[in-house]
Amino acid sequence: METDVTKVCHEDCATPPAGRRVAGEDPVKREQILDGAKRVFMEQGFDAASMNDITRAAGVSKGTIYVYFENKEDLFAELIQRERYRITESARHALDADVSVREALRSFGILFATHLTSEYTIKAMRMVISVNQRMPNLACTFLSATPMNPVSVLKGYLERQVAKGTLVIDDPELAARQFLELATVGFFKYRLFGTMDAPPPQSEIERVVDGGIRVFLAAYDGHGARA
Amino acid sequence: METDVTKVCHEDCATPPAGRRVAGEDPVKREQILDGAKRVFMEQGFDAASMNDITRAAGVSKGTIYVYFENKEDLFAELIQRERYRITESARHALDADVSVREALRSFGILFATHLTSEYTIKAMRMVISVNQRMPNLACTFLSATPMNPVSVLKGYLERQVAKGTLVIDDPELAARQFLELATVGFFKYRLFGTMDAPPPQSEIERVVDGGIRVFLAAYDGHGARA
Amino acid sequence: METDVTKVCHEDCATPPAGRRVAGEDPVKREQILDGAKRVFMEQGFDAASMNDITRAAGVSKGTIYVYFENKEDLFAELIQRERYRITESARHALDADVSVREALRSFGILFATHLTSEYTIKAMRMVISVNQRMPNLACTFLSATPMNPVSVLKGYLERQVAKGTLVIDDPELAARQFLELATVGFFKYRLFGTMDAPPPQSEIERVVDGGIRVFLAAYDGHGARA
Amino acid sequence: METDVTKVCHEDCATPPAGRRVAGEDPVKREQILDGAKRVFMEQGFDAASMNDITRAAGVSKGTIYVYFENKEDLFAELIQRERYRITESARHALDADVSVREALRSFGILFATHLTSEYTIKAMRMVISVNQRMPNLACTFLSATPMNPVSVLKGYLERQVAKGTLVIDDPELAARQFLELATVGFFKYRLFGTMDAPPPQSEIERVVDGGIRVFLAAYDGHGARA
DNA sequence: AATGAATGAGAGTTCATTCAT
DNA sequence: TATGAATGAACTCTCATTCAT
């Protein structure tokens, strides 16, 4: 019995938080508020950010924010909903190109590792993690279950390769997760905890991704050749 | 040029926070406070936990807490220092046993994955991550640079196996990090974000560790036999 | 080498405290807060007065006070600034009248003594003195360096009398200070310390001022006649 | 009807605060505590001084202080009682010497002015004033009604001079108070408010005292000679 | 619809005082 | 008797939220 982590999500995890307000329909103003909130939240974190700061950054009044969003948590949740796509969609085209498996994995791995260690991603993730106790569904939604979820995308790609006989893989989802981990080998953790205080340099990412591909293909290469 | 993440830690990251006060030396009361604080922090997170909550949970007065700890941050930092050992040292003996490489890696991987996904570890890590901006050294200390750091321990083991010819590894540190990632394949992330709301079942951990060992040995087995 | 105490005031002593906030501009509410604060401060003194007391006395919420004033010290400083004028300007016209020197000094002395021993002035001075360590410029500003400073005003008058030959005075500033002291002969001290728990009666003030004028004119009368 | 300020003191103003503790009889320890308290109070003021500071400065435990003194206010009151003598007694011998009136007044005036403007006196007075609302009797006691009260001492001297015909004075008490004010001309105020942040130099004191004597003798000299 | 002044509960922290040892 | 750890009320100040305009 296996757990498909791309689908595990309890309750209404993936549904947008209910209770859309009646007032506050102007989408431009809405974006304006979210932009200001993003700036402030990213800089200060959820708790340290004050609604006054956001008011100032967004250039709207306090009352207006409360017309468009129920409260601070709601504002944050909607912001994260919006940002989710920006964070997860980036790698989806890397596997489209008509290149060798090795090269495709390389581009994909580098893109993924670069993205996952970026200041922006790390800050957003830290925030989402830090409000986890108060807003459990938010983090849940944030990480998983989008159609462009990297695991799903890579899994699809691996399945196509298996069909073509290029790769030999029993459990494509596990393999996809393995590859993603091999491509980052703890970078994510080190970044999240601040042990690395900046994204790793491009050369380091390439070194790690190449090492990961070597291991990955040693196990899954369909041609019998050691990578 | 590679980055040895087991050593990356700036400033006085690993030094214990100086300035232990002279009063407040009763270790029993100290533990009592830390226990209460742990309960509250684990439940609410750093910001949401109030000193009043902790007062109540610890069964001591507010003043007493401030005799033993300088402030909320100090209390939290000391708590994390205490917990760090419990979190990081568990896996250190798994590799001592006189068994085959495969079996040794299996025990170690299972222990590590079990530990890393436990409710306790996950909550602690969430908290440490969430205070990263205010207490950067804490997270840094927390994750790395103990002698029993899993990466260090495994790296040492791998080097011994390379010396014996059992394994063939260019870069033992990278390999150690690869193995640890393969043994958890994203469990950590899913747990941290709440996508998985409970530790994976033992069977799932074993399945994933076994899959990881298969890939790992495909790349590094010294005997040429596919794992 | 003499010290001109009307000018001794170091640093930015006389400059109004900078940093008036943009919000909190309603002058009515501002006065309302200052009035409440005045009542409480006068009754309790700076330290003993709590912001909660002031909140209650002013009939506004705590938050509102902090919109209009940065903190307790700022509130107090602004209060004293406001009161300063009421305290120091009162005697400025007493010397304008076209009467004999003796009568002019008499009116001025009585006004000054009455004012200096009033409950209001004494309480304000006690407070200013008691915060001297924390807000040195406040006390400094408070006492001196206004154009209507009694010493300056009287000194000017005496100089004009010297020019007219009515009085013969070497050092008009010293003489001014002497007259002011003669007009109060320790009333200020006794009131400040509470040895006198009420302003002296009008008759007592007149007796003392008359006695002071007698001494003063004995020394400085330009006509050689004993007063 | 005149007010004799050397006697005006309501209630039990001059009586030592009742309620002597039964325990805490060791006078050496008592002095030790008072010495520590004096150091701390002088440095920090009444409110800012904490009992812990005093504990440390006195080298005794908290409990011990509360054996010898009822509470912080009582401790302060007793301290001021003890210090009162040191502050007021200094000038008592200045008038004994067998010298001319002018010289006697000069020594006395200089001593008095020097004393009244000293850092020690000013700090003590500021403190006493600042607790006036909470401990009204303390300040009252502090200033007046000791046998060596400068007004009383000087008044006695003046009366003897009047008896001898050296001086001609209607109201010796008023004259005494006048002289004391002439000898300080506001120095006390300027020091109290911090307009002067150090005692005036000796030369300045002499200048002022000499000016005061000139005025005083112009009014009261029994020999008809202008001073 | 939009504003932003006002609210007041609640935060972290201090410290005079007590009392078991 | 002397101690100093423990107490908890009270402090200043913040800020998410409301609502009269």
Side-chain angles (χ1 to χ4, degrees):
Chain A
M1 185 223 72
E2 72 179 71
T3 309
D4 181 349
V5 288
T6 64
K7 287 172 193 153
V8 169
C9 220
H10 35 286
E11 296 179 44
D12 55 342
C13 164
T15 58
R20 183 81 299 110
R21 279 133 272 72
V22 285
E25 308 267 272
D26 180 352
V28 175
K29 186 141 281 181
R30 195 180 161 77
E31 287 299 304
Q32 185 185 337
I33 295 171
L34 286 171
D35 286 340
K38 176 177 166 183
R39 241 165 16 247
V40 176
F41 278 132
M42 284 286 172
E43 221 165 88
Q44 322 232 38
F46 180 79
D47 281 289
S50 85
M51 290 302 268
N52 263 333
D53 295 338
I54 294 171
T55 280
R56 223 168 297 125
V60 299
S61 80
K62 209 97 72 86
T64 302
I65 292 183
Y66 279 89
V67 167
Y68 282 81
F69 303 93
E70 293 203 330
N71 52 36
K72 196 184 180 184
E73 289 197 3
D74 181 38
L75 170 58
F76 183 71
E78 305 260 359
L79 173 61
I80 293 301
Q81 288 304 330
R82 192 186 70 164
E83 298 299 315
R84 187 158 58 98
Y85 297 102
R86 308 195 185 176
I87 291 184
T88 54
E89 76 184 312
S90 68
R92 73 174 169 226
H93 295 303
L95 296 170
D96 293 351
D98 189 16
V99 294
S100 72
V101 171
R102 174 178 299 272
E103 280 167 55
L105 290 177
R106 192 167 198 269
S107 316
F108 186 75
I110 288 173
L111 221 67
F112 179 73
T114 303
H115 179 75
L116 201 70
T117 57
S118 76
E119 197 62 21
Y120 173 70
T121 303
I122 290 301
K123 276 190 173 168
M125 293 205 161
R126 276 195 199 129
M127 261 195 307
V128 167
I129 288 166
S130 76
V131 297
N132 180 275
Q133 317 247 1
R134 275 167 290 179
M135 312 163 71
N137 289 331
L138 183 66
C140 174
T141 309
F142 181 63
L143 190 67
S144 67
T146 92
M148 314 86 185
N149 182 307
V151 172
S152 308
V153 172
L154 181 55
K155 181 185 165 196
Y157 176 81
L158 295 180
E159 280 167 345
R160 288 193 299 279
Q161 298 309 313
V162 169
K164 289 202 302 191
T166 332
L167 297 175
V168 177
I169 300 175
D170 274 357
D171 183 340
E173 158 147 349
L174 180 61
R177 287 161 61 193
Q178 286 172 330
F179 179 77
L180 291 172
E181 296 300 318
L182 287 169
T184 49
V185 279
F187 279 159
F188 179 63
K189 253 183 247 132
Y190 300 126
R191 287 288 287 133
L192 215 47
F193 280 86
T195 310
M196 289 176 100
D197 57 5
Q202 178 73 10
S203 60
E204 171 70 356
I205 288 179
E206 286 174 11
R207 189 181 72 84
V208 158
V209 169
D210 287 336
I213 289 173
R214 202 191 134 268
V215 170
F216 188 78
L217 290 186
Y220 295 121
D221 190 332
H223 304 85
R226 292 296 289 266
Chain B
M1 184 224 71
E2 73 178 74
T3 309
D4 181 350
V5 286
T6 63
K7 286 174 193 151
V8 170
C9 216
H10 33 282
E11 292 182 50
D12 54 342
C13 163
T15 56
R20 184 79 288 112
R21 43 205 326 126
V22 288
E25 307 250 277
D26 180 354
V28 175
K29 186 136 281 179
R30 195 181 163 76
E31 288 300 305
Q32 184 185 337
I33 295 171
L34 286 171
D35 287 340
K38 177 176 162 183
R39 230 151 41 235
V40 176
F41 278 134
M42 287 282 174
E43 218 164 273
Q44 322 229 37
F46 181 80
D47 281 292
S50 87
M51 291 303 268
N52 267 332
D53 295 338
I54 294 172
T55 280
R56 227 168 292 125
V60 300
S61 78
K62 205 110 62 105
T64 302
I65 293 183
Y66 281 90
V67 168
Y68 282 80
F69 303 94
E70 296 209 327
N71 51 39
K72 195 183 179 185
E73 286 199 4
D74 181 39
L75 171 57
F76 183 71
E78 304 263 357
L79 175 60
I80 292 301
Q81 289 302 329
R82 190 185 72 163
E83 300 300 320
R84 188 159 59 99
Y85 296 103
R86 306 192 186 177
I87 291 183
T88 55
E89 76 184 310
S90 68
R92 71 174 172 228
H93 294 304
L95 295 171
D96 294 351
D98 188 15
V99 294
S100 72
V101 171
R102 174 178 300 270
E103 280 168 55
L105 288 177
R106 193 168 195 270
S107 317
F108 185 76
I110 288 173
L111 219 66
F112 178 73
T114 303
H115 178 75
L116 200 71
T117 57
S118 77
E119 194 62 19
Y120 176 68
T121 304
I122 289 302
K123 279 190 170 168
M125 292 204 162
R126 277 193 200 129
M127 270 195 304
V128 167
I129 288 166
S130 76
V131 297
N132 181 271
Q133 301 212 15
R134 272 164 296 180
M135 311 163 72
N137 286 333
L138 184 66
C140 176
T141 309
F142 182 63
L143 188 66
S144 68
T146 92
M148 315 87 184
N149 183 306
V151 173
S152 309
V153 172
L154 181 55
K155 181 186 166 193
Y157 175 81
L158 295 180
E159 282 167 344
R160 290 193 297 280
Q161 299 309 313
V162 168
K164 290 203 299 192
T166 331
L167 297 174
V168 176
I169 300 175
D170 274 359
D171 181 342
E173 159 145 348
L174 179 61
R177 287 161 62 192
Q178 285 172 330
F179 180 77
L180 291 172
E181 297 299 320
L182 287 170
T184 49
V185 277
F187 279 158
F188 177 64
K189 253 180 250 140
Y190 300 125
R191 288 288 288 132
L192 210 50
F193 281 86
T195 310
M196 290 175 98
D197 61 0
Q202 179 73 10
S203 60
E204 171 71 356
I205 288 179
E206 286 175 11
R207 188 182 72 85
V208 158
V209 169
D210 286 336
I213 289 174
R214 199 191 136 270
V215 171
F216 188 77
L217 289 186
Y220 296 122
D221 189 333
H223 303 85
R226 292 294 292 264
Chain C
M1 183 226 72
E2 70 178 74
T3 307
D4 180 349
V5 287
T6 63
K7 287 176 192 149
V8 169
C9 217
H10 30 285
E11 292 181 51
D12 54 342
C13 165
T15 56
R20 183 83 285 113
R21 43 200 330 121
V22 286
E25 308 250 276
D26 179 354
V28 175
K29 187 136 280 179
R30 195 180 163 77
E31 287 300 305
Q32 186 184 337
I33 296 172
L34 286 171
D35 286 341
K38 177 177 164 184
R39 229 148 46 233
V40 176
F41 278 133
M42 286 284 174
E43 217 163 273
Q44 322 230 37
F46 181 80
D47 281 292
S50 86
M51 291 303 267
N52 268 332
D53 295 339
I54 294 171
T55 279
R56 225 168 295 125
V60 299
S61 78
K62 207 135 20 135
T64 301
I65 293 183
Y66 280 91
V67 167
Y68 283 79
F69 304 94
E70 296 209 327
N71 51 39
K72 195 183 179 184
E73 287 199 4
D74 181 39
L75 171 59
F76 183 72
E78 304 263 357
L79 175 61
I80 293 301
Q81 288 304 329
R82 190 185 72 163
E83 301 301 318
R84 189 158 59 97
Y85 296 102
R86 307 193 186 178
I87 291 184
T88 54
E89 75 184 310
S90 69
R92 72 175 171 225
H93 295 304
L95 295 170
D96 293 353
D98 189 16
V99 296
S100 73
V101 172
R102 172 178 300 273
E103 280 168 56
L105 289 177
R106 192 166 196 271
S107 317
F108 185 76
I110 289 173
L111 219 64
F112 179 73
T114 303
H115 179 76
L116 200 70
T117 57
S118 76
E119 195 62 19
Y120 176 68
T121 303
I122 289 301
K123 281 190 170 169
M125 292 204 161
R126 278 194 198 129
M127 270 195 302
V128 168
I129 288 166
S130 75
V131 297
N132 181 272
Q133 301 214 14
R134 272 164 295 179
M135 310 164 72
N137 285 333
L138 184 66
C140 175
T141 308
F142 182 65
L143 189 66
S144 67
T146 92
M148 314 89 184
N149 184 307
V151 173
S152 310
V153 172
L154 182 55
K155 180 185 166 196
Y157 176 82
L158 296 180
E159 282 167 345
R160 289 193 297 280
Q161 299 308 314
V162 168
K164 292 202 300 193
T166 332
L167 297 175
V168 177
I169 300 176
D170 274 358
D171 181 341
E173 158 144 350
L174 179 61
R177 287 161 61 191
Q178 285 172 330
F179 179 77
L180 291 173
E181 296 300 319
L182 287 169
T184 51
V185 275
F187 279 158
F188 178 63
K189 254 181 246 137
Y190 300 126
R191 288 287 288 131
L192 212 49
F193 281 86
T195 310
M196 289 175 98
D197 60 1
Q202 177 72 8
S203 59
E204 171 71 356
I205 288 178
E206 287 175 11
R207 188 182 70 86
V208 158
V209 169
D210 287 336
I213 289 173
R214 200 191 136 269
V215 170
F216 188 78
L217 290 186
Y220 296 122
D221 189 335
H223 305 85
R226 290 294 292 263
Chain D
M1 185 225 70
E2 74 179 70
T3 307
D4 181 348
V5 288
T6 64
K7 287 173 193 150
V8 168
C9 221
H10 35 285
E11 295 180 46
D12 54 343
C13 163
T15 57
R20 181 80 304 105
R21 279 133 270 71
V22 285
E25 308 268 271
D26 180 353
V28 175
K29 185 141 282 181
R30 195 181 161 75
E31 287 299 306
Q32 185 185 337
I33 295 171
L34 286 171
D35 286 340
K38 176 177 165 184
R39 235 157 30 239
V40 176
F41 278 131
M42 284 288 172
E43 220 164 89
Q44 322 232 36
F46 181 79
D47 281 289
S50 86
M51 291 302 268
N52 263 333
D53 294 339
I54 293 171
T55 280
R56 222 169 297 127
V60 300
S61 79
K62 210 96 72 87
T64 303
I65 292 183
Y66 279 90
V67 167
Y68 283 81
F69 303 94
E70 293 202 332
N71 51 38
K72 196 183 179 184
E73 289 197 4
D74 181 38
L75 170 58
F76 183 71
E78 305 261 358
L79 173 61
I80 292 302
Q81 289 302 331
R82 192 186 70 165
E83 297 301 315
R84 188 159 58 98
Y85 298 102
R86 309 195 185 175
I87 290 184
T88 56
E89 77 185 313
S90 68
R92 73 176 169 228
H93 295 304
L95 296 170
D96 293 351
D98 188 15
V99 294
S100 73
V101 171
R102 174 178 299 273
E103 282 167 54
L105 289 177
R106 194 168 195 269
S107 318
F108 185 75
I110 288 173
L111 220 65
F112 178 72
T114 303
H115 179 75
L116 200 70
T117 57
S118 77
E119 196 63 20
Y120 174 71
T121 303
I122 290 302
K123 277 192 173 168
M125 293 205 160
R126 278 195 199 129
M127 262 195 306
V128 167
I129 288 166
S130 76
V131 296
N132 180 274
Q133 317 247 2
R134 276 167 290 180
M135 312 164 70
N137 288 332
L138 183 66
C140 175
T141 310
F142 181 64
L143 190 66
S144 68
T146 90
M148 313 87 185
N149 182 308
V151 174
S152 308
V153 171
L154 182 54
K155 180 186 166 196
Y157 175 81
L158 295 180
E159 280 167 345
R160 289 195 297 279
Q161 298 309 314
V162 169
K164 291 203 300 192
T166 333
L167 296 175
V168 176
I169 300 177
D170 274 357
D171 182 342
E173 158 146 349
L174 179 60
R177 287 161 61 194
Q178 287 173 330
F179 180 78
L180 291 173
E181 296 301 318
L182 287 170
T184 49
V185 277
F187 279 158
F188 178 63
K189 254 183 247 131
Y190 300 126
R191 287 287 287 134
L192 215 47
F193 281 85
T195 310
M196 289 176 101
D197 58 5
Q202 178 71 11
S203 60
E204 172 70 356
I205 288 178
E206 286 175 12
R207 187 181 72 87
V208 158
V209 168
D210 286 336
I213 288 173
R214 200 190 135 270
V215 170
F216 187 80
L217 290 186
Y220 296 122
D221 189 334
H223 303 86
R226 290 295 291 262

